[in-house]
Amino acid sequence: MAQADSRALALGVLAGAAGISLAIVCFRKIGAGGGRVLHLSSNADHTAGRLGLQTGQAEVLDRLGALIHCVSELKEEVKALKDALPHLQDNVRDQLRGRSGDSISARKASPLHRTPTRRKKAGVSSRSEGQSSEEAESEGGYITALTDSEEEESDDERKPPQEPVDELTALLQKADRLHSYNGAEKAEGLNSLLERKAEFDQKCQYLWRLSRAYADAHDFAVDLAEKKSCAENGKKAGEEAISINPQCAEGHQWYAILCGLLSDYESIQNKIKNGYLFKDHLDKAIELKPEDPLSYYLLGRWCYAVSQCTWIERKIAATLFGEPPSATVQDALQNFLKAEEICPKYSKYNYVFLAKCYKDLGQRSQARQMCDAAYAMSNETKEDEEAQKELDTLFASL
């Protein structure tokens, strides 16, 4: 409330109180004059009239007494209000800011909050009592609402601020969640990502997840042409991811995986070429993220496959690329053991390949231990089921 408006309101209330006081004085004079006129009547009428007048005057005086008392209190209230108005803005501001100590006591002491209760005690009339009760009830509701608001504000202040999740983050979280599933839901991740490809196809975090989703769809596809298409599209998405951000470990990792998947549908020349790409990008992924067990497991698979190459396959590789890929069973074993070290019980397939390495190295007792560890793990994924078949064959040969 502006200070000029506050002064105008105070002056208006004072003027009203003065008018009420003047009306009371006039009423008393008129009552006294009326009493003198009644003396001119006859004795019988005079006596009866005086009795009636005294009764009426007594009732009127009682009411006027109560009114005078109320006006006196009103003057006090107006004076207190006049003193409080210059500070009213500060009090309201403090209350809204939740300063519960001084602001609440100031609110209770304010004339705006005392007036309804005092008027109710004066009891001028049943109507004024009803109004006072309503005013007090309404005011009590105001105080309660303000208190609740203050409590809500204080609760909001205690809560830590939460950053809004943008559309890309929400999409990536959904893709990660679908990838974690073991059933057909995993294949749904590809569709959810492709729906937003036009918006986010320049984001590395989106592209490597798209490459991963193509790998998941490849595993669930039945038709050979569909599998090859998933591998080709996934490799392309992975290549785009690492071209945008060459320091993204996941981009290199999934590009290598798609190169490995695509090699199953390529000629010998392209198969060897993809093998080199597979190794180079896995090495880069391990360099960027050395604590990821998946990269070591995949590198172990590559080393084991190279160690099993025949003489003719090595000769072809040397003819096409000058130098054939080189890796031993011992190299493969070290990578599988590293994956197990980083993440114990990483996968059933990791135990199966550990058993294969130990068998090829002539360590059959360690191979059987790895088989036992693999048998102790349940089959939860399609890959686990494939590992189980190889495990049964391998264990029978030990």
Side-chain angles (χ1 to χ4, degrees):
M1 182 186 295
Q3 189 171 2
D5 295 338
S6 302
R7 290 177 178 174
L9 175 60
L11 292 175
V13 176
L14 288 172
I20 293 174
S21 300
L22 182 63
I24 293 171
V25 173
C26 293
F27 186 82
R28 284 181 172 176
K29 289 182 178 181
I30 293 172
R36 288 194 297 270
V37 173
L38 291 175
H39 282 288
L40 300 177
S41 61
S42 60
N43 291 335
D45 294 338
H46 179 75
T47 302
R50 174 171 291 183
L51 292 174
L53 180 60
Q54 288 177 349
T55 303
Q57 283 182 341
E59 183 179 355
V60 170
L61 289 175
D62 290 339
R63 294 176 179 268
L64 288 176
L67 181 60
I68 291 171
H69 178 70
C70 185
V71 170
S72 299
E73 290 186 345
L74 180 60
K75 289 181 179 179
E76 296 177 1
E77 301 288 351
V78 169
K79 184 179 179 181
L81 178 62
K82 183 179 179 182
D83 296 337
L85 283 176
H87 307 288
L88 185 59
Q89 283 182 326
D90 296 334
N91 291 337
V92 172
R93 189 181 301 111
D94 292 342
Q95 293 169 9
L96 294 178
R97 287 177 179 174
R99 298 177 182 174
S100 57
D102 296 337
S103 62
I104 292 177
S105 61
R107 186 170 65 245
K108 290 182 178 178
S110 172
L112 293 175
H113 293 269
R114 285 205 312 266
T115 302
T117 305
R118 284 178 172 262
R119 287 182 180 176
K120 186 175 180 181
K121 290 181 179 178
V124 176
S125 65
S126 60
R127 181 178 180 182
S128 61
E129 286 178 3
Q131 290 176 345
S132 300
S133 176
E134 291 175 0
E135 291 172 3
E137 183 179 358
S138 174
E139 186 178 356
Y142 164 76
I143 295 174
T144 302
L146 183 58
T147 304
D148 293 342
S149 176
E150 291 173 350
E151 291 176 355
E152 291 175 1
E153 289 179 1
S154 62
D155 291 340
D156 292 339
E157 291 175 358
R158 286 194 296 266
K159 294 179 180 178
Q162 295 182 352
E163 294 292 334
V165 178
D166 57 70
E167 293 185 4
L168 176 59
T169 302
L171 178 63
L172 300 183
Q173 290 175 349
K174 181 181 179 181
D176 292 341
R177 185 175 65 255
L178 291 173
H179 175 70
S180 67
Y181 294 152
N182 295 324
E185 298 91 344
K186 179 179 287 191
E188 296 176 5
L190 178 61
N191 292 331
S192 64
L193 289 171
L194 288 176
E195 289 174 358
R196 310 297 294 274
K197 191 174 187 299
E199 301 173 59
F200 305 120
D201 62 351
Q202 296 302 312
K203 303 291 184 180
C204 176
Q205 295 297 314
Y206 167 84
L207 287 169
W208 75 254
R209 284 176 171 84
L210 181 61
S211 179
R212 182 184 66 183
Y214 273 116
D216 292 338
H218 169 274
D219 294 340
F220 283 93
V222 178
D223 184 68
L224 190 64
E226 185 180 357
K227 282 181 173 291
K228 183 179 180 181
S229 175
C230 289
E232 290 175 339
N233 291 327
K235 180 185 175 183
K236 182 179 179 181
E239 187 175 9
E240 292 173 354
I242 58 180
S243 66
I244 292 174
N245 183 8
Q247 301 303 311
C248 178
E250 291 83 1
H252 288 282
Q253 183 185 78
W254 285 98
Y255 177 69
I257 292 173
L258 269 297
C259 287
L261 292 177
L262 187 59
S263 65
D264 292 338
Y265 313 102
E266 297 283 353
S267 62
I268 294 178
Q269 181 177 353
N270 288 334
K271 183 178 293 188
I272 296 173
K273 180 181 178 180
N274 284 326
Y276 281 109
L277 290 174
F278 183 92
K279 173 67 165 54
D280 292 342
H281 286 278
L282 272 183
D283 288 341
K284 186 64 176 179
I286 291 174
E287 176 187 339
L288 295 171
K289 194 174 181 181
E291 296 303 316
D292 190 342
L294 177 58
S295 295
Y296 290 100
Y297 166 74
L298 293 172
L299 186 56
R301 292 283 299 261
W302 183 88
C303 291
Y304 189 82
V306 170
S307 70
Q308 304 300 309
C309 286
T310 63
W311 177 85
I312 188 64
E313 289 173 333
R314 293 177 185 275
K315 197 67 175 178
I316 294 173
T319 302
L320 295 174
F321 299 98
E323 183 179 355
S326 176
T328 64
V329 174
Q330 188 65 40
D331 295 332
L333 177 64
Q334 294 305 314
N335 284 290
F336 291 130
L337 288 174
K338 184 64 175 179
E340 178 68 13
E341 176 188 342
I342 295 173
C343 182
K345 299 181 181 180
Y346 174 68
S347 72
K348 175 172 283 194
Y349 242 139
N350 195 59
Y351 282 132
V352 170
F353 276 97
L354 279 169
K356 287 183 177 182
C357 290
Y358 281 125
K359 178 189 175 184
D360 293 347
L361 293 172
Q363 303 176 25
R364 290 181 173 269
S365 60
Q366 288 89 339
R368 281 191 290 269
Q369 289 179 6
M370 294 300 103
C371 288
D372 292 338
Y375 275 120
M377 297 183 67
S378 59
N379 296 333
E380 297 180 357
T381 66
K382 185 178 180 181
E383 187 181 55
D384 291 338
E385 295 175 357
E386 295 174 356
Q388 185 67 43
K389 295 178 182 178
E390 293 192 31
L391 175 62
D392 293 337
T393 303
L394 176 62
F395 188 75
S397 65
L398 292 174

